[in-house]
Amino acid sequence: MEHTEANDAFLVKSYIEGNENSLSILINRHQHRIYSFIFSKVFDKDVAEDIFQDTFIKVIRTLKRGKYNEEGKFLPWVMRIAHNLVIDHFRKNKRMPKFENSGDFNIFSVLCDSGLNAEKQIIKDQIEADVKELIKELPEDQLEVLVMRIYKDMSFKEISERTGVSINTALGRMRYALINLRKVIEKHNLVLTN
Amino acid sequence: MAKLYSEKKLKQMSPKKETVNFLLNYSKALRISTYKKLQFESFLN
């Protein structure tokens, strides 16, 4: 073990002095262990490849800048860099979640129809038709305000101008229209939910 | 099932040759220039 560490230290020193072949030896010597470590965390070959590359880019830049402190711990140092980059990877993914597609790509995992399906659409149409029939039971003045507000999407100011009553009266008629509508629904035990 | 997680399989895992070659070329191309207390990176093609 000490022999290997000494060799690493020698190779690092040699690399810093300009011997590019030393880096090749270091990478070949430790690539399996570092790559396996990264893969064991991310379980994705492409991601592992990227992190392995980023790890050694960092190693190369640090060594060339002369900022590496040789303590005979080259491999633990590289593993620490890889570990930090794995953490960065998961942090980044947490902020920007991706769609996972292991194996066959399924377009419906990224696309969905937000509209109602045929069955729900039929139920919705039935409920709306029932409500239209129910509101006919309301007194004329309340019915008029409710239709203008709900079906014609008019404001209470517009309703008051059209019907010639105050806004407060229009609001009151709307309130009583809803109260009476609920009473009719309860009286007939109707279920008007989708 | 145990064979899937065997030590042997993990040891065989290694990065692509292209990745290693990229790193070696990156290293060869990278030059660090120092001016006073500043360091500059440059790439030689």
Side-chain angles (χ1 to χ4, degrees), chain A residues 159-174:
Chain A
I159 293 168
S160 78
E161 284 167 0
R162 179 72 65 87
T163 55
V165 297
S166 69
I167 293 176
N168 276 342
T169 305
L171 281 164
R173 285 178 181 174
M174 182 69 193

Side-chain angles (χ1 to χ4, degrees), chain B residues 8-39:
Chain B
K8 193 181 173 188
K9 176 145 186 160
L10 277 176
K11 274 186 178 174
Q12 282 173 345
M13 293 192 72
S14 54
K16 289 178 191 165
K17 202 166 182 176
E18 293 84 16
T19 306
V20 175
N21 285 339
F22 167 81
L23 289 167
L24 296 175
N25 290 330
Y26 173 85
S27 172
K28 282 174 192 164
L30 180 65
R31 287 284 179 280
I32 304 290
S33 316
T34 307
Y35 175 74
K36 292 184 180 173
K37 287 183 178 178
L38 300 173
Q39 285 189 319

Side-chain angles (χ1 to χ4, degrees), chain A residues 60-146:
Chain A
I60 291 165
R61 292 178 70 202
T62 307
L63 292 178
K64 290 224 171 190
R65 280 170 176 267
K67 289 185 177 173
Y68 174 68
N69 184 22
E70 179 55 65
E71 291 174 343
K73 292 177 178 174
F74 176 75
L75 183 60
W77 174 61
V78 180
M79 293 289 258
R80 173 56 55 183
I81 293 172
H83 179 257
N84 290 341
L85 289 173
V86 167
I87 291 170
D88 287 349
H89 162 75
F90 284 117
R91 278 189 188 144
K92 200 163 62 184
N93 270 11
K94 207 176 175 184
R95 282 200 298 271
M96 295 186 290
K98 288 178 184 171
F99 292 103
E100 294 296 335
N101 284 299
S102 53
D104 295 335
F105 176 73
N106 182 6
I107 189 68
F108 295 110
S109 68
V110 288
L111 293 176
C112 65
D113 182 8
S114 57
L116 298 170
N117 63 27
E119 186 193 359
K120 285 187 175 172
Q121 188 61 51
I122 290 169
I123 294 170
K124 187 172 177 280
D125 291 345
Q126 281 177 350
I127 290 169
E128 285 173 0
D130 289 345
V131 171
K132 269 188 181 173
E133 286 302 310
L134 279 174
I135 61 173
K136 287 177 185 169
E137 304 287 322
L138 293 170
E140 188 62 37
D141 56 346
Q142 292 172 20
L143 173 66
E144 188 183 29
V145 173
L146 186 137

Side-chain angles (χ1 to χ4, degrees), chain A residues 38-49:
Chain A
I38 298 166
F39 184 81
S40 71
K41 304 292 177 210
V42 299
F43 290 109
D44 184 302
K45 279 186 178 177
D46 294 328
V47 174
E49 206 82 35

Side-chain angles (χ1 to χ4, degrees), chain A residues 159-193:
Chain A
I159 293 168
S160 78
E161 284 167 0
R162 179 72 65 87
T163 55
V165 297
S166 69
I167 293 176
N168 276 342
T169 305
L171 281 164
R173 285 178 181 174
M174 182 69 193
R175 180 169 175 267
Y176 280 110
L178 295 174
I179 290 169
N180 288 330
L181 206 54
R182 283 198 192 99
K183 280 182 186 169
V184 175
I185 291 165
E186 279 171 19
K187 189 179 161 190
H188 293 94
N189 285 327
L190 299 172
V191 178
L192 298 171
T193 50

